[in-house]
Amino acid sequence: MADDKKLCFCMGLTESEVREAIISKKLKTVEEVGEATKAGTGCGGCQGNIQHLLDEINK
């Protein structure tokens, strides 16, 4: 997706990439997302946004 915004700048992951991993792997925590995608494991600045995605998807 050309206009997909970066979610994790350290690891170069977009929001849609992280969203797809959460859905396909049934991830429930920021830690699980980090293990599966490496998102949030660099500086950690995107962990709040990852949690927001998790909350949205797993409501």
Side-chain angles (χ1 to χ4, degrees):
M1 187 184 292
D3 62 346
D4 195 15
K5 63 182 178 178
K6 285 280 191 228
L7 178 70
C8 180
F9 284 91
C10 294
M11 300 302 161
L13 295 166
T14 64
E15 185 174 315
S16 65
E17 290 171 319
V18 175
R19 180 183 298 275
E20 177 58 33
I22 292 169
I23 294 168
S24 67
K25 297 174 190 250
K26 298 177 173 47
L27 305 175
K28 302 293 183 196
T29 67
V30 172
E31 292 78 19
E32 289 176 345
V33 172
E35 289 172 14
T37 67
K38 302 296 184 214
T41 63
C43 76
C46 63
Q47 289 183 354
N49 291 332
I50 294 168
Q51 185 62 58
H52 177 73
L53 276 180
L54 286 163
D55 293 344
E56 179 184 309
I57 293 165
N58 293 318
K59 52 182 160 178

